[in-house]
Amino acid sequence: MRLILMTGKGGVGKTSMAAATGLRCAELGYKTLVLSTDPAHSLADSFDLPLGHEPEKVCENLYGAELDVLQELEENWGSVKRYITEVLQARGLDAVQAEELAILPGMDELFGLVRVFRHHREGKYDVLVIDSAPTGTALRLLSIPEVGGWYMRKLYKPMEKVALYLRPLVEPVFRPLAGFSLPDKALMNVPYEFYEKIEELGRILCDHSVTSVRLVTNPEKMVIKESLRAHAYLSLYNISVDLVIANRIIPPEVADPYFVYWKENQRLYRQEIIDNFSPLPVKEVPLYSREICGLEALGKLKEFLYHDEDPSQVYYHQQTFQVRQTDEGFALELHLPGIPKEQISLGKSGDELHIRIGNHRRNMVLPQSLATLQTAGAEIDGERLVIRFVENPGENESGDR
C-alpha cells in the first residue's frame, strides 16, 4: 500500500488536494481510500457526498471515510474506558461526567493512527490518502509512535510489573476501601497492545518507499513559515516530505486593480516557496473562480494538479537520517531544512539523544554503535545537522550536553 498524507495550515486547501489526489489514483486503476482524520471533517463536503466512519464508494475504485473517534474508541479502548468510568464514579462523579472524563485528551489523534494502521494491515487498498489535521495536530500525531515508545519503555512496563505483583496482596483491602478493583493483567495489557500497533505504524511512516507527506501551502508569509517548520519537524522524525503544493495562486489573466498588491506579493512568495523548499518539487495550483466542491470540480483540479502523472509515485527521495564513520568516530546527520542553529538544542543521556527545536522535542534511541560513545560537538552543514560522536572527547570538546 502507498500511504500519502496531506497536511498544511488550516484553510489552505488540503482536503481538496487529498480528494483530487484520490480521484486521480482511482482513475489510474488503483483501489484508493481517502480517509479524513481531521477532527473538523470536510471531506464529505469536498466530494459532495455523505460519508461515515466506514469506507463509502465515491466512484469507480475510489472510497471515502471520515474517522468517528467515539466508534474507534469503543473498538480499541472500550475496556479501559469502562474501568476509568468505574473509578471516577467510585470517587463521586455522576455517570455522564465519568464517561466523558474517561476519554483522555489527545485520544482522537491516537485513534487516527490506529485506523491508518488497520487499513494498512488489511491491505484492501492500493493507495491510502490521508486528509490529515492542520499541521500542529498532524505533527503531534506523527510523533506519537516515537514519543509514546519512551513512556512505554521507561514508565508503563515497570509500573505494570509492580502493579501485577502487588495486586493479589493489596486487592482484598483495597476493594472495600476504594469501591473499585485494581486492574487485572488483561486490562493492563490493553494500553501496551494499543501502543504496539502504533509502534508498528511508526515503522511504516518512516519507510520512505511507502509513506510520503505532501505539504499544502499558500503564497503568504505566515503560511510559508508554518510549512517550513512542519518540514523541519517531519525531518526530525524521519518522515519524508516528497512534494509541496502551492495553492490559490492568482492567475495572470486577472487584471482587476484590487488584486495588484496581492499578485505582486504572491510573485515574491512563490519564489520564496521554491527557494526555501528546494530541492523538493513544487506544484502550483491557481485560485479558482468558484469553490471546489463535487466530482466535476475535483476532476478539473485533478487534471491541473497531475495531468498525466501518477500521484502515487514518490516525487522526491531524501534520506533524512544517516550514520557514517569518520576518522574520530561516527557522525549522525539529520536533514533539518530552514532551521537556524540558534533554535536547536541537544543533549545525550545513556542511549538516547535529545533534540529540541522550538517546542518540539525528539528523544531518539541511538544505534548501538553510537550509544556507548560521547557527543563531541555539532554543526550545521547546509541543511543537515551533523552531530559528532567519539570514544574520548578532547580537552577542548565537551561530552554530553
Side-chain angles (χ1 to χ4, degrees):
M1 178 186 285
R2 183 78 166 93
L3 183 59
I4 301 170
L5 290 98
M6 291 284 183
T7 191
K9 188 176 175 65
V12 295
K14 59 185 178 54
T15 299
S16 297
M17 301 306 154
T21 300
L23 194 58
R24 175 59 180 160
C25 288
E27 183 182 59
L28 291 171
Y30 300 117
K31 190 175 181 182
T32 305
L33 172 63
V34 183
L35 172 65
S36 171
T37 60
D38 190 336
H41 297 300
S42 57
L43 184 62
D45 300 325
S46 184
F47 283 130
D48 198 20
L49 293 168
L51 295 176
H53 182 67
E54 295 301 326
E56 302 278 352
K57 188 170 184 178
V58 176
C59 62
E60 188 66 26
N61 291 325
L62 181 60
Y63 298 79
E66 294 181 333
L67 178 71
D68 184 331
V69 174
L70 295 179
Q71 187 171 334
E72 201 70 30
L73 181 144
E74 190 58 37
E75 292 174 6
N76 294 278
W77 200 251
S79 59
V80 176
K81 176 190 170 186
R82 286 186 285 277
Y83 177 76
I84 296 174
T85 300
E86 179 189 352
V87 171
L88 294 174
Q89 284 185 283
R91 305 309 299 167
L93 271 71
D94 64 45
V96 175
Q97 288 177 321
E99 190 164 338
E100 288 295 319
L101 291 172
I103 304 174
L104 305 177
M107 294 302 282
D108 52 342
E109 296 156 19
L110 285 169
F111 294 130
L113 283 177
V114 171
R115 179 68 179 277
V116 171
F117 170 75
R118 175 159 64 87
H119 285 303
H120 190 278
R121 181 187 58 194
E122 291 173 351
K124 292 181 180 179
Y125 302 95
D126 302 311
V127 180
L128 179 57
V129 181
I130 306 298
D131 174 24
S132 181
T135 42
T137 303
L139 290 170
R140 289 198 302 273
L141 182 147
L142 294 172
S143 67
I144 284 171
E146 185 157 335
V147 175
W150 187 91
Y151 287 99
M152 283 294 172
R153 291 193 309 272
K154 301 293 186 180
L155 298 176
Y156 187 80
K157 292 306 286 183
M159 288 173 59
E160 180 189 34
K161 291 177 182 177
V162 172
L164 293 175
Y165 178 78
L166 293 177
R167 189 177 192 276
L169 304 174
V170 177
E171 178 69 10
V173 178
F174 183 86
R175 173 72 190 185
L177 292 175
F180 59 90
S181 297
L182 290 168
D184 57 18
K185 183 173 178 59
L187 188 65
M188 292 287 284
N189 280 340
V190 171
Y192 196 76
E193 291 170 358
F194 188 71
Y195 161 69
E196 284 180 322
K197 296 177 184 177
I198 295 173
E199 185 180 43
E200 187 171 343
L201 178 62
R203 289 191 284 271
I204 296 167
L205 293 175
C206 292
D207 185 341
H208 299 174
S209 65
V210 174
T211 303
S212 297
V213 174
R214 292 181 182 168
L215 290 172
V216 183
T217 190
N218 294 155
E220 300 173 17
K221 182 177 181 178
M222 289 188 291
V223 182
I224 294 171
K225 292 293 185 185
E226 180 163 330
S227 299
L228 286 168
R229 284 193 293 269
H231 186 203
Y233 297 149
L234 289 165
S235 299
L236 183 66
Y237 290 102
N238 196 28
I239 296 172
S240 173
V241 177
D242 75 338
L243 180 66
V244 176
I245 300 173
N247 191 25
R248 295 178 182 153
I249 307 296
I250 299 173
E253 62 268 21
V254 175
D256 192 317
Y258 178 83
F259 289 101
V260 170
Y261 170 82
W262 290 106
K263 287 177 74 173
E264 178 59 23
N265 256 26
Q266 285 199 353
R267 185 185 65 80
L268 299 173
Y269 287 134
R270 287 166 66 187
Q271 188 59 47
E272 188 174 316
I273 290 170
I274 293 169
D275 293 342
N276 288 346
F277 284 102
S278 176
L280 282 177
V282 176
K283 285 182 175 290
E284 294 190 340
V285 177
L287 175 67
Y288 284 82
S289 59
R290 60 195 65 189
E291 60 183 336
I292 302 172
C293 184
L295 293 179
E296 184 179 347
L298 287 170
K300 293 177 181 177
L301 174 60
K302 172 259 302 179
E303 286 296 325
F304 190 93
L305 189 57
Y306 297 111
H307 190 47
D308 58 352
E309 293 178 0
D310 183 348
S312 69
Q313 68 177 291
V314 178
Y315 279 90
Y316 181 73
H317 298 265
Q318 174 65 58
Q319 187 176 6
T320 58
F321 174 94
Q322 182 180 2
V323 178
R324 57 179 175 83
Q325 193 162 10
T326 65
D327 293 339
E328 297 80 20
F330 290 90
L332 171 66
E333 296 184 1
L334 285 171
H335 186 231
L336 297 177
I339 298 297
K341 63 180 181 181
E342 296 80 15
Q343 295 183 15
I344 303 172
S345 60
L346 302 169
K348 180 177 177 290
S349 175
D351 65 347
E352 291 186 351
L353 180 70
H354 311 294
I355 306 171
R356 181 184 291 274
I357 301 175
N359 59 354
H360 285 261
R361 173 172 174 159
R362 178 180 183 183
N363 297 317
M364 178 187 292
V365 179
L366 293 168
Q368 189 61 38
S369 57
L370 302 184
T372 57
L373 305 180
Q374 291 181 296
T375 53
E379 60 189 9
I380 295 290
D381 181 9
E383 293 188 336
R384 290 187 173 271
L385 172 64
V386 181
I387 308 166
R388 299 188 301 277
F389 289 82
V390 297
E391 190 165 349
N392 294 304
E395 291 183 5
N396 295 327
E397 296 179 310
S398 60
D400 296 357
R401 52 185 168 187

